[in-house]
Amino acid sequence: MIDELLPCLRCPHCARDLERVAARVLGCAGGHRYDEAKQGYVTLLPPRTRNLIADDADMIAARLRTFAAGHFAPLHRAVAAAASAFVDAAPGVILDAGCGPGTYLAEAVRACAESPETERHRAGLGFDLSTAAARRAARVHPRVGSVVADTFSPWPLRSGVASVVLDVFAPRNGEEMHRVLAPGGHLVVATPEAPHLQELRAGGAVIGIDEHKAERLAAALGPYFDLVAADHVRWTMMLDRQGASDVAGMGPSKHHRDAGKAGSGDPGVDVMPVTGHVRLGIYRRKDAPDAA
């Protein structure tokens, strides 16, 4: 964990501030200690973590192959551009909640650093429940750090530390997103639309998209954020058999495939066009959450 990011962290047991107390050891005034892995990430899970299923190493490897092939490059650019456009509205780091291997976060940090305005050179902090993801994210950029944490639990982060929060295909905790954003901060949320991966879905390789996703998104974020803008990122991927298998295997469909509830991901043809269609929503933090 780079020292620049230590002031963002708090103890998941007692919510006291964390600091470096020894080489590769973080600790709080309450006596809790957390070892930094040799790869650079830190596990900051609460004492009674729920039994959640995290992305495994095979899923992260499939995601990295997909990204390296450029299949999701239009979305990477769109997320990075959104972060860069709003990063100056508030102080703080760029935070990626459910960061996976850190690719979106690294692109956002790079996009901000390309500006000649020095205040736009922001550090990035990502967290994910997956140890395999955190391990990779810790090495994705020199100014990016990663933590193993649970999206649904209170986040091991101090209040008001982020200028922008990214949420790309990840669970949303509106209350914690609001807490960690500085006043004036923004939230960037990427969610799949109905046409997204529809060719793979038709063959049973990926699971369906919840038809009530928009309503659930509004319910989760409405009390804490105002919608500033919404755009749609549309593109076409040309996937061979391995590419199609990777796209199907890098997300939640992999868990269903392992449980025997989804197809293999083999499209049955050598190369096929597959649709990418994602809604990119930009939300501004409300000064105070709406009353329940």
Side-chain angles (χ1 to χ4, degrees), residues 149-184:
D150 178 10
T151 304
F152 294 106
S153 298
W155 295 357
L157 303 171
R158 301 182 193 180
S159 299
V161 297
S163 60
V164 173
V165 171
L166 308 179
D167 184 287
V168 183
F169 303 146
R172 289 163 292 279
N173 186 332
E175 182 176 6
E176 285 296 279
M177 289 170 165
H178 182 274
R179 183 183 65 79
V180 302
L181 272 169

Side-chain angles (χ1 to χ4, degrees), residues 16 19 21 25 58 63 82 91 93 103 127 146 153 160 162 168-169 192 194 196 208 256 261 267:
R16 291 183 172 94
E19 59 183 11
V21 296
V25 180
D58 288 343
R63 202 172 304 173
V93 303
T103 308
F127 72 85
S146 74
S153 298
V168 183
F169 303 146
H196 188 63
H256 289 258
K261 299 177 182 179

Side-chain angles (χ1 to χ4, degrees), residues 116-135:
E117 303 171 30
T118 57
E119 64 268 26
R120 294 168 61 87
H121 287 244
R122 304 296 178 96
L125 177 61
F127 72 85
D128 201 286
L129 186 65
S130 166
T131 299
R135 183 182 301 120

Side-chain angles (χ1 to χ4, degrees), residues 94 104-114 122-124 141 143-144:
I94 302 172
Y104 292 98
L105 179 58
E107 290 294 330
V109 170
R110 291 189 189 102
C112 293
E114 288 173 358
R122 304 296 178 96
H141 188 280
R143 298 197 68 200
V144 167

Side-chain angles (χ1 to χ4, degrees), residues 67-238:
F67 292 169
H71 295 315
F72 275 65
L75 185 58
H76 291 153
R77 291 192 293 267
V79 171
S84 179
F86 291 95
V87 72
D88 283 341
V93 303
I94 302 172
L95 175 68
D96 192 345
C99 66
T103 308
Y104 292 98
L105 179 58
E107 290 294 330
V109 170
R110 291 189 189 102
C112 293
E114 288 173 358
S115 168
E117 303 171 30
T118 57
E119 64 268 26
R120 294 168 61 87
H121 287 244
R122 304 296 178 96
L125 177 61
F127 72 85
D128 201 286
L129 186 65
S130 166
T131 299
R135 183 182 301 120
R136 177 70 186 194
R139 306 192 304 273
V140 76
H141 188 280
R143 298 197 68 200
V144 167
S146 74
V147 169
V148 176
D150 178 10
T151 304
F152 294 106
S153 298
W155 295 357
L157 303 171
R158 301 182 193 180
S159 299
V161 297
S163 60
V164 173
V165 171
L166 308 179
D167 184 287
V168 183
F169 303 146
R172 289 163 292 279
N173 186 332
E175 182 176 6
E176 285 296 279
M177 289 170 165
H178 182 274
R179 183 183 65 79
V180 302
L181 272 169
H186 287 76
L187 170 66
V188 178
V189 180
T191 53
E193 292 287 271
H196 188 63
L197 307 184
Q198 59 187 0
E199 296 83 1
L200 296 180
R201 189 174 302 108
V206 298
I207 59 175
I209 295 174
D210 181 4
E211 61 181 11
H212 301 295
K213 180 179 285 291
E215 292 88 342
R216 293 194 297 107
L217 180 65
L221 301 182
Y224 306 99
F225 297 92
D226 292 316
L227 179 64
V228 173
D231 198 2
H232 291 264
V233 186
R234 302 178 180 90
W235 73 101
T236 300
M237 301 168 259
M238 298 303 297

